[in-house]
Amino acid sequence: MVGVSMPTPARRSEPGLVVAVMGAECTGKSTLAGQLAAALQARGIAAVVVPEVLRAFSARLGRTPVAAEQRTIADMQTRHIAQAAARHPVVIADTTALMTAVYSEQVFGDCALYAQSEGAHRVCALTLLAAPDLPWQSDGHQRDGPAVRLAVDRLLRRALDRSGTPYTTVGGTGAARLHAAWAALRRVLDASPPDPVGHNLQPGPCAPDTRAAQ
């Protein structure tokens, strides 16, 4: 079967608004990122999710990265976010390079990635921090356990505080988690609405449909 190539969105004159969804393992980052993008798309805003490079790396190779591979993963995450922001009005980043820097410290005791990753993270208009309050689930090779999840959460909060990055903690389950994230995103959109098709488009006043998040 011959694949059908999809048209690439045109490059924008101004980069899109970037929302970072951060958090330790098993905090629902990917689910939340997808839900926010879907809620924006339902309101006519061409949002896109940039997936976590580390997750794709581990899924492809069946292992977590070694120390020497961390910088490449961080650089790739930053590059993918920049490429998406050049072509979409809103980008939901399923982590940034800052998450890779945190894992480098946690796993390898290496803090060398912080300076560069903190600088890259400054493009984010909003940082959502997923709280470690969901039931922990193993995925076979990437997740290390509830104790490590809490340790990573502490390191991530410390990194955000040290870099002066404001963030909104998102907790709760199901609809409550999505509502908290959406409220924070709405505040950013109300202050600087994206321009997806040549005119400003404010998201509707209602909360997103949360039936899928129950």
Side-chain angles (χ1 to χ4, degrees), residues 9-24:
R11 182 171 291 274
R12 296 166 53 82
S13 59
E14 296 291 337
L17 182 147
V18 179
V19 177
V21 182
M22 310 292 285

Side-chain angles (χ1 to χ4, degrees), residues 47-207:
V48 64
V49 174
V50 174
E52 183 180 19
V53 172
L54 173 60
R55 179 184 295 273
F57 176 97
S58 297
R60 185 174 69 254
L61 298 182
R63 63 172 177 83
T64 55
V66 299
E69 295 166 322
Q70 291 287 90
R71 185 172 295 276
T72 298
I73 290 171
D75 290 345
M76 188 176 297
Q77 189 77 56
T78 298
R79 185 166 62 252
H80 287 183
I81 292 170
Q83 291 170 345
R87 299 186 182 279
H88 298 274
V90 180
V91 174
I92 310 295
D94 183 357
T95 80
T96 69
L98 186 58
M99 199 73 245
T100 309
V102 168
Y103 282 128
S104 287
E105 180 180 7
Q106 170 67 23
V107 179
F108 305 110
D110 180 6
C111 298
L113 296 182
Y114 274 119
Q116 181 176 327
S117 65
E118 288 171 4
H121 193 91
R122 293 191 182 101
V123 305
C124 301
L126 173 65
T127 299
L128 299 173
L129 178 59
D133 57 354
L134 298 179
W136 186 84
Q137 298 178 353
S138 174
D139 72 347
H141 57 266
Q142 186 173 340
R143 295 174 178 168
D144 295 314
V148 172
R149 179 171 69 171
L150 292 176
V152 169
D153 179 73
R154 287 192 294 269
L155 288 177
L156 180 54
R157 289 174 186 270
R158 189 177 71 183
L160 291 168
D161 290 338
R162 183 178 59 240
S163 64
T165 302
Y167 59 92
T168 300
T169 301
V170 178
T173 59
R177 206 173 190 84
L178 178 55
H179 275 299
W182 180 252
L185 178 54
R186 274 296 308 272
R187 289 192 291 270
V188 173
L189 293 176
D190 288 346
S192 181
D195 184 11
V197 289
H199 62 276
N200 287 336
L201 180 61
Q202 294 275 9
C206 299

